[in-house]
Amino acid sequence: MDLVSRPNYYNKLEKLLGKGVLIVLSGQRRVGKSYVMKELVARKGEDSNANVIYIDKEKTAFDFIATYNELVAYVDGKIDKTKHNYILIDEVQEIQEFERGLRNYYGESYIDIIVTGSNSDILSSDLGTMLSGRYVEVFIQGLSYTEFLEFHNLPDNEASLSKYINYGGLPGLKPFGLDDPETINGYLQGVYNTILIKDIIRRKKIRNVPFLENLIHFIADNIGKPLSATSIQNYMASNESDVSKNLVLKYMKALDEAYLATAVSRYNIHGKKLLETNDKFYFGDVGIRNYVTGGRRANDIEKIVENLVYQHMVRLGYEVKIGQLYSTEIDFVGTKGDEIVYVQAAYLITEEKTFNREFGNLMPIKDNYPKYVISMTPYMDSSKWEGIIHIPFVDFLKNGFRK
């Protein structure tokens, strides 16, 4: 696949170089972490004062580096103290006790260390303890809608949006094109199976694989609905699958750590505190979510719209929670520094009942932070109602909250 620049991520990475911190590119497998890293390899490779040491643990050529001792031996043989060294390791979690090896090079003024990982628990392992906060995480997501258009050389129209909604934003779709659903489905199946086996089953030593797959399907089919370990346990029991609440919690955490389906906490807007029950889950890629559920998108388009709005708010740099104001639920509360936004996501607003729900849920919020409703309603352009701004879905995917 040709290297296509993703300047949003590359610029973040460039700003962190030379700051004395270890950089972790995190995110689900196949969202493009490797290509962000390869762009750095390509650019620094053109600098005569740079020495690039690149280890790709997804390639069999680096199978000989399986432990931290082998990592140190290899890097020591490549270091050039007359230049600035860039140690780049793709899928670093495949190296046993990698954090012990990285400790040899951390803090050296002539070395930058950049690693990628497909499981968030590498940040809560000895890596976090060893560095005591001296690392920075750059979270990589699949393609935004505008990147999707660029990658696939598509016009901005309804047909292209439909493909984005159906197939998601994994960059690896590019060589296959977007005109053969069977081939696309096969690719998505392969990515899903890799995440399932490498990042969940093998890494977490999962034994009850049938329950795990049922759980993933259940979550995929219930995007945007409050889920608790108890409610899932009860559902499984009704389907003659007897599992403990602790097992449900363990497997839900494993999905979250693999970035397959992210748990989003609830936030009490009135009390300004997090609530500990009934998280919602959103998939890291809607293409994989659609592969898991199968069927036609017309049956669950509202869930996908909500999932994509969540993804894009994260992409825009917001920390996103589910809002709770007394008995009223707000789809998303986004915070970024001192900025707060309240968001309702809907598919179509064609009835008064739907209008009153989506706009009315935001009305009781009495602070002065902006409130938005995002929908695919035809002919409903950017407009205000009682101070609440409507943004067409595709406009939000292209421009965020900008007017």
Side-chain angles (χ1 to χ4, degrees):
M1 179 169 31
D2 295 336
L3 188 62
V4 180
S5 178
R6 302 183 72 183
N8 179 46
Y9 293 123
Y10 183 82
N11 292 339
K12 286 182 182 179
L13 185 56
E14 188 68 53
K15 289 177 182 178
L16 294 171
L17 295 175
K19 299 298 191 296
V21 294
L22 184 146
I23 303 168
V24 181
L25 306 183
S26 64
Q28 179 193 287
R29 284 186 188 265
R30 303 294 186 266
V31 292
K33 302 186 301 295
S34 299
Y35 282 87
V36 174
M37 181 173 278
K38 286 176 181 177
E39 183 173 1
L40 180 66
V41 171
R43 294 196 185 196
K44 298 305 178 184
E46 297 173 352
D47 182 355
S48 59
N49 294 314
N51 178 45
V52 178
I53 304 168
Y54 177 49
I55 300 169
D56 184 354
K57 279 300 294 174
E58 292 216 306
K59 296 290 191 294
T60 57
F62 291 97
D63 281 352
F64 67 93
I65 303 177
T67 68
Y68 77 94
N69 285 321
E70 292 157 346
L71 171 64
V72 170
Y74 180 78
V75 173
D76 281 352
K78 298 288 185 179
I79 286 285
D80 183 347
K81 292 186 178 181
T82 67
K83 297 182 178 183
H84 191 86
N85 292 264
Y86 297 90
I87 302 173
L88 302 105
I89 308 174
D90 204 357
E91 299 298 348
V92 71
Q93 75 274 0
E94 301 296 330
I95 301 173
Q96 294 177 23
E97 296 184 282
F98 65 88
E99 62 277 359
R100 295 185 64 180
L102 296 180
R103 185 165 49 196
N104 276 22
Y105 311 104
Y106 179 79
E108 297 289 353
S109 61
Y110 60 95
I111 295 177
D112 272 300
I113 306 172
I114 306 97
V115 303
T116 77
S118 297
N119 199 295
S120 66
D121 69 356
I122 69 167
L123 300 177
S124 59
S125 66
D126 289 341
L127 176 63
T129 302
M130 178 188 74
L131 297 179
S132 301
R134 292 174 293 178
Y135 66 86
V136 176
E137 179 184 7
V138 178
F139 181 56
I140 309 293
Q141 294 174 274
L143 303 176
S144 68
Y145 177 59
T146 53
E147 288 176 324
F148 179 82
L149 297 178
E150 179 187 357
F151 263 59
H152 296 285
N153 194 27
L154 294 172
D156 177 17
N157 57 28
E158 289 188 9
S160 298
L161 180 60
S162 177
K163 289 178 179 178
Y164 187 61
I165 287 171
N166 275 284
Y167 303 139
L170 296 184
L173 287 172
K174 183 178 174 64
F176 304 103
L178 297 173
D179 297 321
D180 185 351
E182 185 176 349
T183 300
I184 294 170
N185 202 54
Y187 173 76
L188 294 173
Q189 180 184 32
V191 175
Y192 170 72
N193 287 339
T194 300
I195 296 169
L196 195 67
I197 295 169
K198 285 192 173 184
D199 297 323
I200 302 176
I201 295 173
R202 186 183 301 167
R203 189 169 184 82
K204 294 299 182 180
K205 299 179 174 59
I206 298 294
R207 295 181 179 180
N208 194 341
V209 175
F211 167 63
L212 174 67
E213 293 184 306
N214 286 338
L215 175 64
I216 294 170
H217 193 282
F218 179 77
I219 290 175
D221 203 38
N222 286 275
I223 292 296
K225 293 183 179 180
L227 299 176
S228 68
T230 299
S231 65
I232 293 174
Q233 182 187 33
N234 291 339
Y235 171 80
M236 294 301 171
S238 69
N239 286 272
E240 301 181 351
S241 179
D242 187 17
V243 293
S244 69
K245 188 182 297 185
N246 286 339
L247 188 69
V248 174
L249 289 169
K250 176 185 176 181
Y251 285 16
M252 291 169 74
K253 184 179 180 183
L255 301 182
D256 185 63
E257 289 181 346
Y259 306 104
L260 181 65
T262 301
V264 183
S265 302
R266 303 172 74 81
Y267 177 75
N268 185 320
I269 296 172
H270 176 71
K272 306 296 183 184
K273 62 181 181 180
L274 287 175
L275 303 174
E276 297 181 355
T277 59
N278 294 331
D279 291 348
K280 292 186 177 183
F281 280 79
Y282 297 95
F283 268 63
D285 180 74
V286 295
I288 290 181
R289 181 265 167 196
N290 295 338
Y291 161 74
V292 169
T293 58
R296 296 177 59 81
R297 301 286 71 77
N299 298 328
D300 53 11
I301 183 65
E302 184 124 16
K303 301 172 188 176
I304 301 172
V305 167
E306 188 171 329
N307 203 127
L308 286 170
V309 169
Y310 166 76
Q311 285 179 349
H312 200 58
M313 287 182 67
V314 173
R315 189 177 287 113
L316 293 171
Y318 290 93
E319 181 181 359
V320 184
K321 304 296 181 186
I322 309 302
Q324 189 76 41
L325 185 62
Y326 306 112
S327 61
T328 301
E329 182 177 277
I330 311 301
D331 286 341
F332 302 118
V333 180
T335 59
K336 183 165 58 173
D338 295 331
E339 179 186 354
I340 298 177
V341 294
Y342 301 104
V343 177
Q344 289 287 98
Y347 172 40
L348 297 176
I349 302 174
T350 56
E351 299 178 354
E352 185 175 355
K353 178 181 178 181
T354 308
F355 184 92
N356 291 337
R357 182 183 70 239
E358 302 300 342
F359 284 83
N361 281 10
L362 296 169
M363 289 296 294
I365 303 174
K366 298 305 181 183
D367 61 37
N368 294 318
Y369 294 112
K371 306 170 184 70
Y372 300 94
V373 174
I374 299 169
S375 83
M376 295 181 71
T377 310
Y379 311 114
M380 190 174 181
D381 58 8
S382 297
S383 56
K384 284 188 178 182
W385 182 79
E386 297 290 334
I388 300 168
I389 303 169
H390 176 265
I391 304 178
F393 177 62
V394 72
D395 288 359
F396 173 71
L397 293 182
K398 292 189 293 185
N399 303 308
F401 296 111
R402 298 195 306 271
K403 295 182 180 178

